[in-house]
Amino acid sequence: MLVETLAFALVGLIVGAAALLSLPAYFPAGRGLTMGTAVVSALLAGVIAHFTMDGGFPAVSIAVSAVASALLTSVLARPDLAAGRQPAHRHHPHRAGAHRRHRPA
């Protein structure tokens, strides 16, 4: 279990570093939070996968920890704040009086 735990931590470090190196503008929260999220989520998912499968499939446990770490790290991504991108609004720009209903007098 110790070797698998080290593997889970290494997977988390790799996922966090890959996220920060490939898309640094998407993670404005800071390197520590991104790396910490990646490592902790890889450790937790790996340990849960290990005990769920009774330790019989270490490669699957490591793969599960990598996927979970990538998914939970992607929650921190903020593509709307990336440099050079305009925020995407769901609503059209308001026109003067467009939000008011016209009631008959």
Side-chain angles (χ1 to χ4, degrees), residues 37-38 40-42 45 67-77:
T37 301
V40 169
S41 61
V67 169
S69 179
L71 288 175
L72 290 175
T73 303
S74 72
V75 172
L76 299 175

Side-chain angles (χ1 to χ4, degrees), residues 73-87:
T73 303
S74 72
V75 172
L76 299 175
R78 296 289 311 266
D80 58 332
L81 298 179
R85 294 194 65 178
Q86 295 294 327

Side-chain angles (χ1 to χ4, degrees), residues 90-105:
R90 288 197 227 173
H91 305 289
H92 297 288
H94 292 289
R95 295 183 305 244
H99 62 279
R100 296 183 186 156
R101 298 178 101 185
H102 296 288
R103 295 184 183 155

Side-chain angles (χ1 to χ4, degrees), residues 4-93:
E4 286 183 20
T5 304
L6 292 175
F8 300 149
L10 183 63
V11 164
L13 287 172
I14 290 170
V15 167
L20 288 173
L21 291 174
S22 64
L23 300 168
Y26 280 29
F27 296 96
R31 291 183 202 128
L33 180 63
T34 304
M35 292 297 288
T37 301
V39 171
V40 169
S41 61
L43 285 170
L44 285 176
V47 168
I48 290 170
H50 173 80
F51 285 116
T52 302
M53 295 182 276
D54 288 330
F57 303 99
V60 175
S61 297
I62 291 171
V64 166
S65 74
V67 169
S69 179
L71 288 175
L72 290 175
T73 303
S74 72
V75 172
L76 299 175
R78 296 289 311 266
D80 58 332
L81 298 179
R85 294 194 65 178
Q86 295 294 327
H89 297 289
R90 288 197 227 173
H91 305 289
H92 297 288

